[in-house]
Amino acid sequence: MVGAGAKGRLAIIAGSGKLPRYVADAASLAGEKPFIFALEGEVDSDWSAYDHVSIGLGDIARFKRMADDLGVDRIIMSGGVSRRPPIREVKLGWSGLLKIPGVIRKLTGGGDNTVLTAVIEFLETPGRRVIGAHEVAPDLLAQTGPLGAVAPDDAARKDIDAALRAARLIGALDIGQGAIAVGGRVVALEGPEGTDAMIARVRDLKAAGRVSAKRKGVLVKLCKPGQDMRVDLPSAGLRTVTAAAEAGLAGIALEAGRSLLLDASDVKELADQNGLFVFGLEPDIGEGGV
């Protein structure tokens, strides 16, 4: 391990999507030499330009051995993970054997925040800690107010209020981070399938006449109450805007300073082209406060 006062190496545990690459590039620009642990079956980026290794989703023991050898003192967990590893794939090493009953409970019975907090517990050591992606790439955090030329109108504000209340409720239950309201009525809640699938469900409901196609609607994404800010922050990007446009939504509202907005300049352009707003909500905003 790195000696006291010395700065060790940054490790990035990379899942799917663009976020791990943005974090790695930001770290490199800051003078870091990040080592990438690419999750098998999840990663979809080419990491040939970085020192990297492919690693199993549950192979915590191997990660810790390599992290010790590399002098890793900080870890960032970023990107999507589509599944939970079966218990037989979870390899904790000798130091984790006594914690196995607790691990089984959290992996099989807990929500995403519970599971990720449990993973952090195993990755950290007295000389190594998990940090948030935003600590290396703060420019990715959503800012307050409208991103582009479009802002929420009165109808969209009512939808934001309705979806915001719903997102807080499911967040408190560690179910998901997002909700969609149309015409002041909540029509979809985010579950394990993720944001894109939730938006597609609303698109299909509109096409089937189950939800009014005359009313647009809004997607709201918030941090869960008590969420660990080091992992799984709410996020949106080009794919989210494209899906929202296809579903006929009026826009997307994210919790400013506690959500990640990827490709912000391209998102602004695409949202403006489609007449959508992307809006940063004040953290802990109250009902009717948009």
Side-chain angles (χ1 to χ4, degrees), residues 150-160 216-218 250-251 275 277 279 290:
V150 185
D153 59 14
D154 289 343
R157 290 168 188 266
K158 291 178 182 177
D159 286 337
I160 289 174
K216 292 187 175 182
V218 176
F277 64 79
F279 192 88
V290 181

Side-chain angles (χ1 to χ4, degrees), residues 87-222:
I87 296 301
R88 65 179 180 276
E89 292 183 15
V90 178
K91 302 169 185 176
L92 300 175
W94 290 109
S95 63
L97 288 179
L98 294 178
K99 300 179 181 180
I100 284 180
V103 172
I104 292 174
R105 284 195 302 271
K106 290 177 179 179
L107 288 181
T108 58
D112 288 345
N113 197 52
T114 300
V115 171
L116 290 169
T117 301
V119 172
I120 288 175
E121 179 183 340
F122 286 103
L123 295 180
E124 290 191 323
T125 67
R128 186 163 56 235
R129 62 192 178 94
V130 173
I131 63 174
H134 59 287
E135 295 182 55
V136 170
D139 291 346
L140 294 179
L141 288 172
Q143 303 299 307
T144 304
L147 175 67
V150 185
D153 59 14
D154 289 343
R157 290 168 188 266
K158 291 178 182 177
D159 286 337
I160 289 174
D161 279 342
L164 187 150
R165 292 195 301 272
R168 282 186 176 149
L169 286 171
I170 64 169
L173 296 172
D174 200 5
I175 295 172
Q177 299 171 320
I180 296 175
V182 177
R185 177 171 70 103
V186 176
V187 298
L189 302 173
E190 183 186 34
E193 79 279 11
T195 303
D196 291 346
M198 174 179 61
I199 299 173
R201 192 163 73 245
V202 172
R203 179 199 64 205
D204 294 343
L205 288 170
K206 284 188 172 187
R210 300 293 300 276
V211 171
S212 173
K214 296 180 180 180
R215 299 175 183 268
K216 292 187 175 182
V218 176
L219 163 67
V220 171
K221 296 196 72 173
L222 305 174

